[in-house]
mmCIF file of all heavy atoms in Angstrom:
data_model
loop_
_atom_site.group_PDB
_atom_site.id
_atom_site.type_symbol
_atom_site.label_atom_id
_atom_site.label_comp_id
_atom_site.label_asym_id
_atom_site.label_seq_id
_atom_site.Cartn_x
_atom_site.Cartn_y
_atom_site.Cartn_z
ATOM 1 N N ALA F 265 121.677 88.238 103.285
ATOM 2 C CA ALA F 265 122.740 87.312 102.881
ATOM 3 C C ALA F 265 122.611 86.048 103.731
ATOM 4 O O ALA F 265 122.705 86.102 104.961
ATOM 5 C CB ALA F 265 124.106 87.944 103.072
ATOM 6 N N LEU F 266 122.375 84.923 103.067
ATOM 7 C CA LEU F 266 122.178 83.657 103.767
ATOM 8 C C LEU F 266 123.288 82.680 103.404
ATOM 9 O O LEU F 266 123.819 82.721 102.285
ATOM 10 C CB LEU F 266 120.827 83.059 103.378
ATOM 11 C CG LEU F 266 119.613 83.909 103.717
ATOM 12 C CD1 LEU F 266 118.346 83.264 103.189
ATOM 13 C CD2 LEU F 266 119.512 84.119 105.220
ATOM 14 N N PRO F 267 123.649 81.793 104.328
ATOM 15 C CA PRO F 267 124.665 80.786 104.021
ATOM 16 C C PRO F 267 124.240 79.950 102.809
ATOM 17 O O PRO F 267 123.072 79.578 102.683
ATOM 18 C CB PRO F 267 124.717 79.921 105.282
ATOM 19 C CG PRO F 267 124.149 80.775 106.358
ATOM 20 C CD PRO F 267 123.146 81.669 105.693
ATOM 21 N N ALA F 268 125.189 79.683 101.932
ATOM 22 C CA ALA F 268 124.918 78.863 100.755
ATOM 23 C C ALA F 268 124.738 77.401 101.148
ATOM 24 O O ALA F 268 125.191 76.968 102.210
ATOM 25 C CB ALA F 268 126.058 78.999 99.758
ATOM 26 N N ARG F 269 124.066 76.680 100.275
ATOM 27 C CA ARG F 269 123.843 75.238 100.455
ATOM 28 C C ARG F 269 123.163 74.918 101.777
ATOM 29 O O ARG F 269 123.588 74.031 102.514
ATOM 30 C CB ARG F 269 125.152 74.472 100.288
ATOM 31 C CG ARG F 269 125.716 74.591 98.878
ATOM 32 C CD ARG F 269 127.101 74.020 98.712
ATOM 33 N NE ARG F 269 128.137 74.682 99.506
ATOM 34 C CZ ARG F 269 128.694 75.852 99.194
ATOM 35 N NH1 ARG F 269 128.312 76.498 98.137
ATOM 36 N NH2 ARG F 269 129.639 76.371 99.957
ATOM 37 N N ALA F 270 122.115 75.672 102.100
ATOM 38 C CA ALA F 270 121.360 75.464 103.336
ATOM 39 C C ALA F 270 119.872 75.637 103.048
ATOM 40 O O ALA F 270 119.488 76.195 102.033
ATOM 41 C CB ALA F 270 121.808 76.450 104.409
ATOM 42 N N THR F 271 119.065 75.148 103.961
ATOM 43 C CA THR F 271 117.616 75.314 103.871
ATOM 44 C C THR F 271 117.160 76.182 105.028
ATOM 45 O O THR F 271 117.602 75.984 106.168
ATOM 46 C CB THR F 271 116.900 73.948 103.914
ATOM 47 O OG1 THR F 271 117.355 73.164 102.806
ATOM 48 C CG2 THR F 271 115.399 74.109 103.829
ATOM 49 N N HIS F 272 116.306 77.154 104.735
ATOM 50 C CA HIS F 272 115.833 78.111 105.734
ATOM 51 C C HIS F 272 114.305 78.125 105.741
ATOM 52 O O HIS F 272 113.676 78.034 104.688
ATOM 53 C CB HIS F 272 116.341 79.515 105.405
ATOM 54 C CG HIS F 272 117.818 79.560 105.186
ATOM 55 N ND1 HIS F 272 118.710 79.682 106.216
ATOM 56 C CD2 HIS F 272 118.550 79.465 104.055
ATOM 57 C CE1 HIS F 272 119.941 79.673 105.725
ATOM 58 N NE2 HIS F 272 119.867 79.545 104.416
ATOM 59 N N SER F 273 113.730 78.255 106.915
ATOM 60 C CA SER F 273 112.280 78.428 107.056
ATOM 61 C C SER F 273 112.011 79.904 107.306
ATOM 62 O O SER F 273 112.783 80.569 108.000
ATOM 63 C CB SER F 273 111.741 77.616 108.235
ATOM 64 O OG SER F 273 111.914 76.239 108.005
ATOM 65 N N PHE F 274 110.912 80.415 106.749
ATOM 66 C CA PHE F 274 110.569 81.816 106.957
ATOM 67 C C PHE F 274 109.089 82.053 106.749
ATOM 68 O O PHE F 274 108.384 81.221 106.166
ATOM 69 C CB PHE F 274 111.384 82.726 106.016
ATOM 70 C CG PHE F 274 110.942 82.673 104.572
ATOM 71 C CD1 PHE F 274 110.057 83.628 104.076
ATOM 72 C CD2 PHE F 274 111.377 81.677 103.724
ATOM 73 C CE1 PHE F 274 109.641 83.588 102.757
ATOM 74 C CE2 PHE F 274 110.971 81.635 102.406
ATOM 75 C CZ PHE F 274 110.096 82.594 101.918
ATOM 76 N N ARG F 275 108.630 83.192 107.221
ATOM 77 C CA ARG F 275 107.277 83.704 106.989
ATOM 78 C C ARG F 275 107.364 85.216 106.988
ATOM 79 O O ARG F 275 108.343 85.793 107.431
ATOM 80 C CB ARG F 275 106.304 83.266 108.084
ATOM 81 C CG ARG F 275 106.076 81.763 108.093
ATOM 82 C CD ARG F 275 104.922 81.371 108.949
ATOM 83 N NE ARG F 275 103.703 81.545 108.147
ATOM 84 C CZ ARG F 275 102.495 81.569 108.658
ATOM 85 N NH1 ARG F 275 102.310 81.456 109.951
ATOM 86 N NH2 ARG F 275 101.442 81.713 107.877
ATOM 87 N N TYR F 276 106.304 85.851 106.508
ATOM 88 C CA TYR F 276 106.187 87.303 106.580
ATOM 89 C C TYR F 276 105.271 87.641 107.743
ATOM 90 O O TYR F 276 104.311 86.925 108.030
ATOM 91 C CB TYR F 276 105.581 87.867 105.301
ATOM 92 C CG TYR F 276 106.449 87.670 104.088
ATOM 93 C CD1 TYR F 276 106.150 86.710 103.140
ATOM 94 C CD2 TYR F 276 107.575 88.460 103.883
ATOM 95 C CE1 TYR F 276 106.932 86.537 102.012
ATOM 96 C CE2 TYR F 276 108.374 88.294 102.763
ATOM 97 C CZ TYR F 276 108.044 87.327 101.837
ATOM 98 O OH TYR F 276 108.827 87.161 100.727
ATOM 99 N N LEU F 277 105.563 88.764 108.394
ATOM 100 C CA LEU F 277 104.725 89.262 109.479
ATOM 101 C C LEU F 277 104.341 90.696 109.158
ATOM 102 O O LEU F 277 105.202 91.566 109.015
ATOM 103 C CB LEU F 277 105.467 89.204 110.817
ATOM 104 C CG LEU F 277 104.729 89.789 112.014
ATOM 105 C CD1 LEU F 277 103.405 89.055 112.271
ATOM 106 C CD2 LEU F 277 105.612 89.749 113.250
ATOM 107 N N ALA F 278 103.038 90.918 109.029
ATOM 108 C CA ALA F 278 102.515 92.253 108.722
ATOM 109 C C ALA F 278 101.843 92.826 109.960
ATOM 110 O O ALA F 278 101.670 92.147 110.981
ATOM 111 C CB ALA F 278 101.516 92.172 107.575
ATOM 112 N N ALA F 279 101.448 94.088 109.852
ATOM 113 C CA ALA F 279 100.763 94.776 110.949
ATOM 114 C C ALA F 279 99.543 93.970 111.383
ATOM 115 O O ALA F 279 98.924 93.260 110.592
ATOM 116 C CB ALA F 279 100.352 96.173 110.499
ATOM 117 N N GLY F 280 99.220 94.078 112.643
ATOM 118 C CA GLY F 280 98.061 93.372 113.188
ATOM 119 C C GLY F 280 98.316 91.904 113.441
ATOM 120 O O GLY F 280 97.392 91.106 113.508
ATOM 121 N N ASP F 281 99.594 91.520 113.579
ATOM 122 C CA ASP F 281 99.984 90.136 113.839
ATOM 123 C C ASP F 281 99.491 89.202 112.737
ATOM 124 O O ASP F 281 99.063 88.087 112.992
ATOM 125 C CB ASP F 281 99.482 89.679 115.212
ATOM 126 C CG ASP F 281 100.270 88.499 115.749
ATOM 127 O OD1 ASP F 281 101.476 88.400 115.457
ATOM 128 O OD2 ASP F 281 99.667 87.655 116.443
ATOM 129 N N TYR F 282 99.552 89.672 111.484
ATOM 130 C CA TYR F 282 99.129 88.896 110.322
ATOM 131 C C TYR F 282 100.335 88.181 109.721
ATOM 132 O O TYR F 282 101.231 88.810 109.166
ATOM 133 C CB TYR F 282 98.477 89.823 109.289
ATOM 134 C CG TYR F 282 98.157 89.164 107.980
ATOM 135 C CD1 TYR F 282 97.275 88.098 107.901
ATOM 136 C CD2 TYR F 282 98.752 89.608 106.805
ATOM 137 C CE1 TYR F 282 96.978 87.493 106.695
ATOM 138 C CE2 TYR F 282 98.464 89.019 105.586
ATOM 139 C CZ TYR F 282 97.586 87.957 105.542
ATOM 140 O OH TYR F 282 97.303 87.364 104.341
ATOM 141 N N TRP F 283 100.385 86.851 109.858
ATOM 142 C CA TRP F 283 101.467 86.025 109.340
ATOM 143 C C TRP F 283 101.038 85.434 108.002
ATOM 144 O O TRP F 283 99.897 85.015 107.849
ATOM 145 C CB TRP F 283 101.759 84.872 110.299
ATOM 146 C CG TRP F 283 102.382 85.283 111.581
ATOM 147 C CD1 TRP F 283 101.718 85.697 112.706
ATOM 148 C CD2 TRP F 283 103.772 85.327 111.895
ATOM 149 N NE1 TRP F 283 102.625 85.985 113.701
ATOM 150 C CE2 TRP F 283 103.890 85.767 113.229
ATOM 151 C CE3 TRP F 283 104.926 85.031 111.173
ATOM 152 C CZ2 TRP F 283 105.118 85.916 113.849
ATOM 153 C CZ3 TRP F 283 106.152 85.169 111.791
ATOM 154 C CH2 TRP F 283 106.243 85.609 113.111
ATOM 155 N N PHE F 284 101.956 85.389 107.030
ATOM 156 C CA PHE F 284 101.622 84.764 105.759
ATOM 157 C C PHE F 284 102.878 84.224 105.088
ATOM 158 O O PHE F 284 103.997 84.576 105.446
ATOM 159 C CB PHE F 284 100.858 85.731 104.846
ATOM 160 C CG PHE F 284 101.609 86.972 104.467
ATOM 161 C CD1 PHE F 284 102.193 87.098 103.222
ATOM 162 C CD2 PHE F 284 101.717 88.048 105.344
ATOM 163 C CE1 PHE F 284 102.872 88.243 102.855
ATOM 164 C CE2 PHE F 284 102.389 89.202 104.988
ATOM 165 C CZ PHE F 284 102.973 89.302 103.744
ATOM 166 N N ASP F 285 102.652 83.336 104.112
ATOM 167 C CA ASP F 285 103.738 82.653 103.415
ATOM 168 C C ASP F 285 104.003 83.285 102.064
ATOM 169 O O ASP F 285 103.255 84.144 101.596
ATOM 170 C CB ASP F 285 103.377 81.173 103.227
ATOM 171 C CG ASP F 285 103.282 80.439 104.547
ATOM 172 O OD1 ASP F 285 104.158 80.650 105.394
ATOM 173 O OD2 ASP F 285 102.341 79.653 104.718
ATOM 174 N N ASP F 286 105.052 82.805 101.408
ATOM 175 C CA ASP F 286 105.429 83.272 100.080
ATOM 176 C C ASP F 286 105.125 82.171 99.071
ATOM 177 O O ASP F 286 105.661 81.063 99.167
ATOM 178 C CB ASP F 286 106.922 83.614 100.057
ATOM 179 C CG ASP F 286 107.333 84.399 98.850
ATOM 180 O OD1 ASP F 286 106.844 84.086 97.735
ATOM 181 O OD2 ASP F 286 108.132 85.328 98.995
#
Side-chain angles (χ1 to χ4, degrees):
L266 299 176
R269 296 172 297 282
T271 300
H272 308 275
S273 296
F274 73 96
R275 294 192 83 195
Y276 295 105
L277 176 60
D281 202 32
Y282 173 61
W283 290 86
F284 61 102
D285 294 316
D286 194 319

